[in-house]
Amino acid sequence: MRANNRFWKSTSRVLPWLAVLFGGFMLRAWQLRDQLLADDEWHAVHKLVGSDFIGIFTSFGYSDHSIPLTLYYKVLTLTTGLSEWSMHLPLLLAGVLSLLIVPWLLRESTRPVERLTLAGLMALSPLLVYFSRTARPYALSALLAFLAVVAFYQWWKKPGFRWSSVYVVSAALSAWLHPVTLAMTLTPFVFYGVA
């Protein structure tokens, strides 16, 4: 009887998370295979057509392509081939993984039901769904910028190498994907300085 109770208790914890992940994935992946590139998504394609790896690595170009994504696209063009699906895949994965990673990062300051609610709201968020459906770095840079802010807070609470290195790496990667994220990742220094 105890084993049966444990099974139902663990199932009642896992099933809502699976529902949130499934729903979040479906909203982000629905008709994504048929979606064509539009607007700013073409900046990276224009850059990789006219540049080699060094040219991509050393310049944001005239139309602010994301350097890491454009390098990834260049690798795809030389190996398996570039498609809309392969261009969207890293951002789709980042968008879905954020539904797990963000609540996990907040595990010390939130209760389980709050983490599940947060994941559910993130799964339904129109902006986060949109970020996950574009071939622009927003879904990945948002996740990395949030990780950087949480890492800074953890380092502030208990200084040490672990959280400071997580902050530096995630802030740097986020800025490399999209420099505008520096406005978010450097802001904690203002609060730290004021305190």
Side-chain angles (χ1 to χ4, degrees), residues 64-138:
D64 77 333
H65 65 279
S66 173
I67 291 174
L69 283 181
T70 308
L71 289 170
Y72 163 70
Y73 300 155
K74 187 73 170 180
V75 169
L76 288 178
T77 59
L78 299 174
T79 56
T80 60
L82 189 66
S83 68
E84 287 90 351
W85 177 249
S86 62
M87 291 177 73
H88 288 107
L89 185 60
L91 296 314
L92 172 65
L93 293 176
V96 173
L97 285 175
S98 68
L99 302 179
L100 289 173
I101 294 171
V102 169
W104 180 81
L105 287 170
L106 300 174
R107 69 193 178 282
E108 291 178 9
S109 58
T110 57
R111 294 176 296 172
V113 69
E114 294 169 337
R115 291 191 294 275
L116 180 61
T117 303
L118 173 62
L121 291 172
M122 289 175 59
L124 297 174
S125 167
L127 187 61
L128 295 179
V129 169
Y130 172 72
F131 283 173
S132 302
R133 294 178 58 83
T134 65
R136 295 288 286 156
Y138 308 133

Side-chain angles (χ1 to χ4, degrees), residues 138-189:
Y138 308 133
L140 192 51
S141 59
L143 177 59
L144 287 169
F146 185 80
L147 173 59
V149 170
V150 170
F152 189 96
Y153 174 74
Q154 293 293 346
W155 169 82
W156 188 357
K157 274 187 3 185
K158 188 177 178 184
F161 177 74
R162 180 175 143 211
W163 283 112
S164 63
S165 59
V166 170
Y167 169 78
V168 168
V169 170
S170 56
L173 286 175
S174 177
W176 194 34
L177 281 160
H178 204 294
V180 76
T181 59
L182 285 171
M184 182 179 176
T185 58
L186 295 179
T187 300
F189 285 103

